[in-house]
Amino acid sequence: MTSTAIVRFRRDLRLHDNPTLVAASDADRLLPVYVVDPRRVGEQAYGGPDSFRYQRTGGHRARFLRESLSDLRERLREHGSDLLVRRGRPADVLPEIADAVDADVLHEQALPTTEERETGAAVGDALAADGVARRTHWTHTLHHPDDLPVHPTVIDDTFTPFRERVEAESTGRDPVPTPDLPPLPDQLPEAGEIPEPLGSVPEASADGRGVLPFRGGESRALARVEEYLWTGDHLREYKETRNGLVGADYSAKFSPWLAAGCLSPRYVASEVDRYEAERVANDSTYWLVFELRWRDFFQFQFLQHGSQQFRREGIRNRTDLDWRWDETAFRRWADGETGVPFVDAAMRELAATGYTSNRARQNAASLLANDLRLDWRRGAAHFERLLVDYDPASNYGNWAYIAGVGNDSRDRAFDVLSQGERYDSDAAFVTRWCPELADLTAVAPDYAREPWTAPREALVEAGVELGVDYPRPMAGLDDRYESIP
Ligand SMILES: Cc1cc2nc3c(=O)[nH]c(=O)nc-3n(C[C@H](O)[C@H](O)[C@H](O)COP(=O)(O)OP(=O)(O)OC[C@H]3O[C@@H](n4cnc5c(N)ncnc54)[C@H](O)[C@@H]3O)c2cc1C
């Protein structure tokens, strides 16, 4: 009897190193499907106590996702297959498709976060009612949970012991080759247009000041690995440059493709191995894989702690912390109008491009959570909307960590002023995103980073009037942000 499988793509929009696709390709007939879930791309409630509403997917990620789906469809067609795209709740849509093609089994990616797990379970229940099996495959981390020294639900809550044990005791798996894809089922439904825009917001185009244009899709992901490692040979100095703020190559910029699954972390690690064998093995080559282990760590933490990760009190149940809810203050932070140029530059870059560096994210998050003490979940949800590389575990995990409610009990507050001085000493980052301070940079970069400290003559010379051309530091910050008399 002919067997028919469905492979439902989720955050694994690729053909390379995709164990779900390999397993599904055992069938005689295979239908690849992607479901656009309206709950992910429109306005939603945050949920839980003190909920608020927010747009979940902004214009940059909507564009990136659509491009990724187009590329996936093209690559599947090159392999004699196709991609069926449907809009609706997966638990409603997938049983209909299974029925139309008389499928026996659906294969899909297993994900660690609550909502994705609930959606998957609902799909499983709906299919089971029709006698269709659901098989899941863990495919998005560097280390497979079965290869960890201990079960992922009992791993350490702090990164260093986790990493040390993983480095000492876990082996990685090699990427799996792309399988020969079985033919499509005979009674094929219409492939369906890839909706444009995908969500309820208009797609955003690339901003020329951004670090990279970030085009979605596996083809672009593989090209970026080629450029960063091989053509540009940047990996050899990654550890020294990774705290940069301006330019394409201070860090790998793999995150949007890793988050959408256009790129496999195991493929990246295997390319690093090859680079170490053919070019150089040093602290930098080690450090890129070290960062992929940070990524793994957050994924496994979400498996362990479930929805507690999204709570204001976090996994450490910090009921002792007070959080403010001040709409005007929040908007100033979100709009890059705090009057603190290092943070304003980060927030403006994020809004304009969907990306800002790790260093900039840390400082922007810390100012909101630790200096202004505004509810960190609002900030995290704002990042969720805007980030082109949004990943629930990486985003909420990093936010909770900085807000002091997540992994690690040490104080994670950043001294934003000294960080700016250290990482943006020439104020190039500030000037790029706060151009109204450019002439002040020419007088002295220190004044551009901290314009409230500039003497009156310097402000006059640069033609900057604080409170008119650029805001004064907002209320709620400590006295280091006060203007000199
Ligand atoms: C408040 C905050 C929110 C964040 N939200 C996200 C998010 O939604 N999605 C996301 O991918 N990253 C997130 N990060 C982590 C980090 O900022 C980005 O992964 C990184 O800036 C991406 O640029 P890159 O690919 O050039 O990184 P590189 O420095 O080149 O690192 C290589 C890869 O390692 C992983 N990585 C590096 N640092 C981290 C980290 N701290 N946590 C988890 N993974 C890491 C990423 O996959 C990254 O692509 C967040 C960090 C902070 C402080």
Side-chain angles (χ1 to χ4, degrees):
M1 214 179 86
T2 313
S3 61
T4 301
I6 293 174
V7 58
R8 176 201 173 198
F9 286 93
R10 300 182 84 182
R11 301 171 76 99
D12 54 350
L13 305 179
R14 64 174 184 271
L15 267 55
H16 75 279
D17 189 30
N18 191 333
T20 312
L21 190 60
V22 173
S25 297
D26 269 351
D28 300 313
R29 305 272 166 181
L30 176 66
L31 180 61
V33 175
Y34 184 86
V35 183
V36 180
D37 187 338
R39 293 169 298 180
R40 297 294 156 76
V41 290
E43 194 187 270
Q44 280 280 307
Y46 186 85
D50 299 310
S51 183
F52 52 91
R53 295 190 74 77
Y54 69 110
Q55 274 285 348
R56 302 200 60 183
T57 302
H60 293 289
R61 197 162 71 257
R63 175 187 49 73
F64 189 89
L65 182 56
R66 180 183 53 74
E67 290 166 353
S68 300
L69 292 175
S70 300
D71 185 67
L72 180 64
R73 177 178 271 178
E74 224 168 275
R75 289 173 82 88
L76 285 164
R77 286 180 177 166
E78 282 163 16
H79 283 71
S81 189
D82 206 340
L83 180 69
L84 188 80
V85 176
R86 287 286 181 275
R87 194 181 166 84
R89 291 189 178 220
D92 298 335
V93 171
L94 290 166
E96 284 170 20
I97 299 174
D99 184 44
V101 299
D102 202 12
D104 311 289
V105 58
L106 174 134
H107 292 267
E108 67 176 15
Q109 185 191 33
L111 287 165
T113 29
T114 326
E115 203 178 59
E116 284 75 9
R117 292 174 73 173
E118 284 170 5
T119 309
V123 168
D125 290 346
L127 289 174
D130 297 337
V132 181
R134 171 177 174 257
R135 305 260 176 274
T136 60
H137 310 267
W138 185 277
T139 67
H140 72 294
T141 49
L142 179 58
H143 294 280
H144 193 281
D146 294 347
D147 302 338
L148 295 177
V150 292
H151 194 266
T153 54
V154 291
I155 59 165
D156 265 298
D157 271 353
T158 26
F159 174 65
T160 303
F162 162 81
R163 176 186 55 75
E164 285 171 351
R165 282 199 72 178
V166 166
E167 285 176 352
E169 299 173 42
S170 294
T171 48
R173 297 185 187 186
D174 290 334
V176 295
T178 302
D180 290 333
L181 300 184
L184 293 159
D186 293 332
Q187 62 286 46
L188 192 64
E190 272 289 297
E193 288 300 311
I194 298 171
E196 184 183 352
L198 271 178
S200 49
V201 292
E203 290 189 6
S205 51
D207 183 304
R209 294 168 299 170
V211 290
L212 272 185
F214 288 124
R215 297 274 165 228
E218 179 180 17
S219 309
R220 227 7 251 147
L222 298 176
R224 175 63 190 164
V225 175
E226 181 69 25
E227 277 161 24
Y228 184 74
L229 266 70
W230 300 105
T231 324
D233 205 14
H234 300 297
L235 180 56
R236 62 174 65 241
E237 53 179 22
Y238 168 74
K239 189 155 185 258
E240 291 77 49
T241 60
R242 71 191 180 90
N243 281 307
L245 299 159
V246 178
D249 300 320
Y250 60 78
S251 64
K253 311 291 181 330
F254 295 160
S255 54
W257 294 287
L258 284 167
C262 304
L263 184 61
S264 145
R266 295 196 305 204
Y267 173 76
V268 174
S270 72
E271 285 291 282
V272 173
D273 283 348
R274 191 160 74 85
Y275 184 91
E276 289 185 332
E278 295 180 20
R279 301 251 170 113
V280 63
N282 61 14
D283 283 357
S284 286
T285 56
Y286 164 77
W287 213 265
L288 188 69
V289 178
F290 172 103
E291 293 297 346
L292 291 177
R293 293 207 171 97
W294 258 115
R295 179 175 174 275
D296 272 21
F297 173 69
F298 284 124
Q299 302 296 325
F300 297 133
Q301 283 297 317
F302 275 69
L303 209 50
Q304 182 172 25
H305 294 288
S307 60
Q308 191 67 29
Q309 291 274 9
F310 297 96
R311 292 277 177 86
R312 188 159 55 192
E313 298 75 24
I315 58 169
R316 292 168 52 221
N317 202 25
R318 294 289 305 269
T319 47
D320 56 316
L321 297 176
D322 285 331
W323 298 100
R324 292 196 303 133
W325 192 273
D326 176 337
E327 195 56 37
T328 311
F330 176 76
R331 280 263 53 97
R332 280 189 66 172
W333 173 83
D335 294 342
E337 297 286 338
T338 64
V340 183
F342 191 43
V343 167
D344 289 346
M347 297 309 293
R348 293 179 191 189
E349 180 184 28
L350 177 63
T353 72
Y355 182 90
T356 192
S357 68
N358 187 54
R359 185 58 49 186
R361 290 179 205 200
Q362 288 173 322
N363 279 281
S366 187
L367 189 94
L368 180 97
N370 297 312
D371 295 315
L372 298 171
R373 294 229 60 83
L374 295 171
D375 190 332
W376 68 268
R377 301 170 310 155
R378 286 287 315 271
H382 184 70
F383 270 38
E384 170 176 347
R385 171 161 77 91
L386 292 182
L387 280 174
V388 68
D389 63 15
Y390 169 68
D391 171 278
S394 292
N395 187 52
Y396 285 89
N398 272 292
W399 265 96
Y401 181 81
I402 287 171
V405 304
N407 304 96
D408 210 333
S409 50
R410 280 172 293 172
D411 180 9
R412 287 291 168 190
F414 283 70
D415 181 337
V416 172
L417 298 184
S418 67
Q419 289 269 308
E421 195 181 331
R422 180 164 170 198
Y423 294 105
D424 193 27
S425 55
D426 59 359
F429 178 58
V430 157
T431 310
R432 174 167 289 230
W433 296 103
C434 305
E436 63 273 38
L437 298 174
D439 289 344
L440 204 49
T441 309
V443 180
D446 288 358
Y447 296 154
R449 281 196 320 273
E450 301 177 21
W452 60 91
T453 64
R456 173 124 205 92
E457 318 77 75
L459 290 169
V460 170
E461 187 186 334
V464 176
E465 191 177 342
L466 284 184
V468 176
D469 302 305
Y470 181 76
R472 292 178 191 285
M474 60 192 283
L477 297 169
D478 68 37
D479 53 15
R480 292 181 306 153
Y481 295 85
E482 275 168 21
S483 292
I484 55 170

